[in-house]
Amino acid sequence: MLKNGSLILKTGLVAILCAYAGMAVAAKTLVFCSEGSPEGFNPQLFTTGTTHDASSVPMYNRLVEFDRGNLNIVPALADSWDVSPDGLTYTFKLRKGVKFHSSAKFKPTRDFNADDVLFTYNRMADPSHPYHKLAAGQTFAYFEDMGMSKIVDKLEKVDDQTVRFKLKHPEAPFLANMAMDFASILSAEYADKMKAAGTPDTVDREPIGTGAFQLASYQKDAIIRYKAFDQYWDGRPKIDNLVYAITPDASVRYAKLKAGECHVMAFPKPADIATMKTDPAINLQVKEGLNIGYVAFNVEKKPFDNKFVRQALSMAIDKSTILKTVFQGAGHPAKNLIPPTMWGFNDQVKDYPYDVAKAKELLAKGGYPNGTEVELWYLPVSRPYNPDGKRMAELIQADWAKIGVKTKLTTYEWTEYRKRSKTGEQHAMMFGWSGDNGDPDNFFGPILSCEAVKGGGNVSRWCNKDFEDQFQKAKTTPKQGERAKFYEKAQEIAHEEAPVIYIANSVRYTPVRKEVVGFKMDATSHHYFDKVDLLK
């Protein structure tokens, strides 16, 4: 399958280069070798970095955003905001003169205003909203995972350039939440026109945003083409064309980078890092990862409904071998839901040791003295927190065999992998998370909260009252030191119940060809190209 995929990608890339050859002098085209296909182009509907990299990052904006390279909150579609002393009211003054993209089906007649904010938010929050109903199996995943409907009481339009969020209770991470991908602003005028035409689903399939680039075309599993948006409010990009060459194999991505067929590549294979460091054509950027890679147990299915079985399988995994073989120095063993660089990390939690004999005892205590059979889904794409899902799965399969657990390995194409996991089809599965806002809430909520079971982000489908109580108290407590204590207790509960096996926190690398200037690694795993230029 990889060979066929590589052939398609190579053919597609040649076609692109030929197409742009005639205007090479006049236009600048940057090619990014991405790791997978997006699930879609509306960031309201998905939670994965692969999808957000292809949708919210190039094509949309939020009211507020994170400063490039760090997690400081800066103005975007709102140029200022105020927070009431009681922490319950957030008033945003909207930026004037912001233009929306256009397409063959839609030509905007007005600039961005408060109606677009209300449409974007109310579509997700209001079950009676005409755009709230979705296709079977589809959810406003991140909105639900973050429990936004329990946070915001109502959203008001003060005037065309002012909106006001009134909260049900103080919410410490609220402003950071508004900078996240799911809060990308859509066009209300576009939605009205498509609804009147009887094709409301066009809004989700053919994106219209305010971002630096607009979608030109998409060939599934092969290539995404974008063009610079001339009227971008923050200044037209210096490159004219942006191309995502979808290349699932990290070795193929590196080969393309070396050959000059792409300028930037996502998520290199750890085995290639040493060579990249000495490559005179490449600048290798590095950043400590704000992420966690893990194996989640679907607690709704046997034998994972038993805590002792989950603990046994946790104890049976030799993480040191996984770190050496799969990460090859680009990762650290994980023991908690959040990385050790994040405030609130509970260093007093003791990781499950690698102990085959003890694991067998726990398996017997859980009712399986003669072992059992399980299914493990492995990641079909490279991610910072898991550069080689198949190899990791093979190592886990061998480890679990030592305690009498026979493991069937399964995977699907990335979009299908996510779709099936949202409905709870999985048994045990590999997943992971790259932080979006620098707050522990962004890990606890999407990964293990009860709301995230509904949204589909909590693939373990574990909903624990004690954990939830600690998590909710942390969110509504204003002082960081006091919040940290609740998160620390929540980590102890999650460790004891073991709904997931924490595998690793990774170091992130991004190889960039030296003719690329102005590229800066994001604090998350996103790739931004709006301020990038190409030397001749």
Side-chain angles (χ1 to χ4, degrees):
M1 188 168 111
L2 281 175
K3 290 183 179 178
N4 292 338
S6 298
L7 179 60
I8 291 171
L9 289 169
K10 185 174 181 181
T11 303
L13 190 55
V14 168
I16 281 178
L17 295 176
C18 289
Y20 288 123
M23 53 184 192
V25 175
K28 293 180 180 180
T29 298
L30 184 142
V31 181
F32 170 54
C33 278
S34 64
E35 82 288 3
S37 297
E39 300 157 273
F41 288 105
N42 182 349
Q44 290 184 323
L45 308 180
F46 308 103
T47 63
T48 65
T50 301
T51 296
H52 290 160
D53 234 9
S55 59
S56 56
V57 170
M59 295 188 292
Y60 290 96
N61 294 110
R62 279 62 56 199
L63 293 178
V64 293
E65 296 182 356
F66 298 111
D67 198 8
R68 202 64 42 81
N70 60 59
L71 291 166
N72 295 330
I73 296 172
V74 297
L77 294 184
D79 54 20
S80 65
W81 59 90
D82 294 307
V83 185
S84 63
D86 61 5
L88 292 176
T89 304
Y90 287 71
T91 304
F92 294 90
K93 297 296 290 184
L94 306 183
R95 189 179 299 275
K96 296 180 179 179
V98 175
K99 309 296 182 183
F100 276 102
H101 303 158
S102 62
S103 70
K105 296 179 181 178
F106 173 69
K107 300 292 187 290
T109 64
R110 62 165 177 79
D111 292 347
F112 155 77
N113 66 27
D115 292 336
D116 303 305
V117 181
L118 265 66
F119 167 75
T120 297
Y121 180 81
N122 290 334
R123 180 195 181 183
M124 296 184 283
D126 182 3
S128 64
H129 192 278
Y131 267 87
H132 185 81
K133 187 176 181 180
L134 297 169
Q138 185 68 69
T139 63
F140 295 108
Y142 223 137
F143 183 90
E144 294 182 15
D145 289 354
M146 299 294 287
M148 292 297 292
S149 61
K150 294 183 178 179
I151 296 170
V152 179
D153 184 28
K154 59 182 175 179
L155 169 60
E156 299 173 333
K157 174 182 176 180
V158 179
D159 55 45
D160 280 349
Q161 301 304 131
T162 312
V163 296
R164 181 177 294 137
F165 286 85
K166 293 191 174 180
L167 308 190
K168 295 179 180 180
H169 54 73
E171 179 75 8
F174 178 73
L175 202 58
N177 291 352
M178 298 307 294
M180 292 163 62
D181 300 271
F182 79 95
S184 296
I185 302 299
L186 280 61
S187 166
E189 185 184 17
Y190 179 41
D192 288 343
K193 184 168 183 179
M194 293 303 100
K195 185 173 182 293
T199 57
D201 59 323
T202 303
V203 170
D204 296 329
R205 291 185 290 102
E206 300 176 21
I208 293 291
T210 59
F213 297 94
Q214 49 190 336
L215 185 66
S217 64
Y218 172 47
Q219 181 183 349
K220 191 176 187 301
D221 299 332
I223 284 168
I224 314 172
R225 299 181 181 91
Y226 307 89
K227 60 181 180 180
F229 183 37
D230 293 335
Q231 297 176 293
Y232 182 47
W233 61 270
D234 199 28
R236 185 193 188 279
K238 296 175 181 178
I239 57 173
D240 303 289
N241 305 292
L242 175 61
V243 175
Y244 280 32
I246 300 166
T247 315
D249 190 312
S251 296
V252 177
R253 291 199 295 276
Y254 184 31
K256 288 182 177 182
L257 189 76
K258 288 191 291 185
E261 294 180 14
C262 61
H263 300 94
V264 181
M265 69 167 280
F267 314 131
K269 185 180 293 185
D272 292 332
I273 296 299
T275 304
M276 289 177 176
K277 288 179 178 178
T278 61
D279 191 326
I282 293 174
N283 285 321
L284 184 65
Q285 298 190 18
V286 60
K287 208 173 190 69
E288 195 71 31
L290 190 70
N291 57 43
I292 178 72
Y294 57 89
V295 173
F297 301 118
N298 185 346
V299 301
E300 294 177 350
K301 294 188 175 181
K302 292 184 178 298
F304 309 122
D305 58 338
N306 187 290
K307 178 177 75 172
F308 298 116
V309 172
R310 301 194 298 266
Q311 291 177 341
L313 293 172
S314 301
M315 201 170 287
I317 290 182
D318 182 3
K319 287 186 189 177
S320 63
T321 297
I322 290 176
L323 267 292
K324 291 175 186 176
T325 305
V326 177
F327 291 85
Q328 299 187 31
H332 314 292
K335 65 178 182 179
N336 281 322
L337 190 62
I338 57 177
T341 54
M342 179 172 279
W343 65 267
F345 181 82
N346 189 341
D347 201 30
Q348 300 304 308
V349 170
K350 303 298 181 185
D351 196 11
Y352 287 102
Y354 174 52
D355 190 331
V356 173
K358 180 64 175 176
K360 287 181 178 179
E361 291 178 13
L362 286 169
L363 195 62
K365 188 175 182 180
Y368 298 90
N370 300 316
T372 186
E373 295 184 8
V374 300
E375 183 178 6
L376 173 62
W377 291 13
Y378 63 88
L379 276 181
V381 294
S382 300
R383 299 301 297 156
Y385 46 72
N386 188 341
D388 191 339
K390 184 177 181 182
R391 184 67 184 119
M392 186 185 293
E394 291 168 346
L395 293 171
I396 292 173
Q397 182 185 48
D399 284 341
W400 284 352
K402 295 173 185 175
I403 63 170
V405 175
K406 184 178 180 181
T407 306
K408 176 185 176 183
L409 301 184
T410 302
T411 196
Y412 300 93
E413 180 272 329
W414 178 236
T415 303
E416 189 69 14
Y417 190 87
R418 285 295 294 127
K419 180 180 178 182
R420 289 172 180 259
S421 69
K422 286 181 179 180
T423 60
E425 183 179 325
Q426 71 275 15
H427 292 229
M429 71 177 292
M430 288 181 190
F431 211 53
W433 191 256
S434 293
D436 291 323
N437 68 14
D439 195 290
D441 171 73
N442 181 234
F443 283 77
F444 285 81
I447 299 175
L448 285 181
S449 72
C450 296
E451 287 295 325
V453 175
K454 303 174 188 175
N458 182 347
V459 294
S460 69
R461 306 184 73 81
W462 178 73
C463 177
N464 180 279
K465 183 182 182 302
D466 293 335
F467 177 90
E468 195 74 12
D469 285 347
Q470 297 298 318
F471 163 62
Q472 293 297 337
K473 288 175 182 176
K475 281 161 46 101
T476 56
T477 300
K479 293 184 179 179
Q480 187 178 105
E482 295 175 9
R483 292 182 69 203
K485 293 177 182 177
F486 292 118
Y487 286 128
E488 289 167 4
K489 179 62 178 177
Q491 288 165 74
E492 293 172 6
I493 295 168
H495 171 77
E496 172 65 21
E497 292 296 319
V500 302
I501 305 174
Y502 310 115
I503 302 293
N505 310 113
S506 78
V507 177
R508 291 169 45 226
Y509 293 93
T510 302
V512 182
R513 288 190 62 84
K514 289 192 174 177
E515 58 266 34
V516 177
V517 294
F519 180 85
K520 183 185 291 187
M521 285 186 73
D522 185 53
T524 68
S525 62
H526 293 339
H527 298 83
Y528 287 89
F529 300 104
D530 55 314
K531 303 300 181 186
V532 169
D533 200 357
L534 283 172
L535 299 176
K536 291 184 180 179

